[in-house]
Amino acid sequence: MLKVSNIHAQVENTPILRGINFEVNDGEFHLILGVNGSGKSTFGKVLLGSPQYEMTKGKIEYNDEDISNIPTFERAQKGIFLSHQSPPSLDGVSAKDLLRAADKSKEEKRSLLQFKRALKENLKKVGLSQKFLNRPLNDGASGGERKKMEIASLLTLGAKLAFLDEIDSGLDVDALKAVSTGINNFLEKKGTAVILVSHSETILKYVDPTHVHVFCGGRIVATGGIELAQKVHDEGYAGLMDCVECRGE
């Protein structure tokens, strides 16, 4: 599904990613760990073609197509979804209207009735009231409600590859369970995959990553299975590798 080859990226001439190689196949769930500033969030934004970052080297292929130079909206139309680490509110724009506009831009068309039915079902799956349909997006919503709306949006838009940037941060137990259930529901659909950035091991009680990667200094410095996440939890990053960034120096 996704093949990233030796990508380098910078912001305002400051290098952030320094040679990332990454592959994702259908049905896989990749967990990304790493200290703050190691390039995890930047990686997601570069995958979606954020104009904030300049990709100076490498290639991004999605379903065997080179998407390195196409705009963000086209990448989204092809099925790549990026959640917000801190979901914003939109004054005067309802979740229903925003998501319907995004849904209509896709090649696979569906009726308004089909769309509204799907959105209502997905709000229910993540434990959000139907009042979130028509009120301004995230207006007055708590952090947990905003994260739930991100998952409801993912499920409603029918994306294929989800990059979830700290979707679990700041959630209470009930919200974490709801978000995790949404992630698992997404992965039950054929032809989907998830990349999750997290700082907490708590979500691992409810989801089951197939791959774990540790970012440090804009590089992937360790890759393994769930045992790697446990090693990080037990020993910290400094105990895992000899790396200035991971030691906090």
Side-chain angles (χ1 to χ4, degrees):
M1 177 183 286
L2 178 72
K3 183 177 181 181
V4 173
S5 304
N6 193 35
I7 64 169
H8 292 66
Q10 62 183 24
V11 58
E12 297 179 350
N13 296 317
T14 300
I16 305 294
L17 302 182
R18 306 168 186 266
I20 299 292
N21 295 289
F22 202 96
E23 290 192 20
V24 178
N25 296 307
D26 291 355
E28 292 182 346
F29 185 163
H30 292 249
L31 174 66
I32 295 179
L33 305 173
V35 297
N36 290 328
S38 58
K40 305 182 302 297
S41 296
T42 296
F43 180 47
K45 292 175 181 177
V46 170
L47 285 181
L48 261 290
S50 168
Q52 181 183 357
Y53 298 88
E54 178 188 4
M55 196 176 90
T56 56
K57 187 177 180 181
K59 181 190 289 188
I60 301 172
E61 295 173 274
Y62 177 69
N63 289 331
D64 298 321
E65 176 186 357
D66 186 350
I67 64 169
S68 305
N69 297 307
I70 68 173
T72 297
F73 77 91
E74 290 188 17
R75 302 185 196 202
Q77 287 174 333
K78 291 178 182 297
I80 306 178
F81 179 95
L82 174 65
S83 73
H84 292 277
Q85 191 174 119
S86 299
S89 60
L90 290 180
D91 231 9
V93 181
S94 70
K96 180 183 68 178
D97 290 344
L98 177 68
L99 293 175
R100 178 56 177 164
D103 189 64
K104 287 170 66 177
S105 74
K106 300 188 306 179
E107 292 181 1
E108 298 176 9
K109 305 298 182 183
R110 58 180 165 178
S111 69
L112 177 60
L113 182 61
Q114 290 173 319
F115 165 78
K116 290 176 69 174
R117 183 183 297 122
L119 179 54
K120 288 180 179 180
E121 289 175 355
N122 291 324
L123 287 175
K124 186 176 181 180
K125 284 180 182 178
V126 299
L128 284 179
S129 164
Q130 297 299 307
K131 68 182 181 182
F132 283 88
L133 275 171
N134 295 306
R135 80 186 208 187
L137 182 69
N138 291 330
D139 180 45
S142 68
E145 289 170 336
R146 293 179 184 222
K147 296 298 181 74
K148 289 178 181 181
M149 180 58 76
E150 293 286 275
I151 295 298
S153 301
L154 167 66
L155 295 172
T156 300
L157 292 176
K160 302 299 182 185
L161 175 63
F163 192 103
L164 306 177
D165 192 0
E166 296 190 31
I167 196 73
D168 56 332
S169 66
L171 300 184
D172 60 31
V173 173
D174 290 336
L176 182 61
K177 288 180 179 179
V179 163
S180 300
T181 297
I183 294 172
N184 291 328
N185 286 341
F186 174 74
L187 279 169
E188 288 173 359
K189 299 178 182 178
K190 186 177 180 180
T192 58
V194 168
I195 302 170
L196 170 67
V197 173
S198 179
H199 282 293
S200 171
E201 74 282 353
T202 308
I203 195 171
L204 299 181
K205 297 178 181 178
Y206 310 110
V207 298
D208 189 21
T210 57
H211 301 72
V212 178
H213 313 272
V214 177
F215 273 48
C216 188
R219 301 180 179 89
I220 297 176
V221 294
T223 293
I226 196 65
E227 72 283 349
L228 178 57
Q230 186 61 52
K231 185 176 179 69
V232 169
H233 174 61
D234 292 342
E235 302 178 17
Y237 295 108
L240 183 65
M241 65 209 73
D242 183 21
C243 177
V244 170
E245 287 90 344
C246 288
R247 293 198 304 267
E249 298 178 5

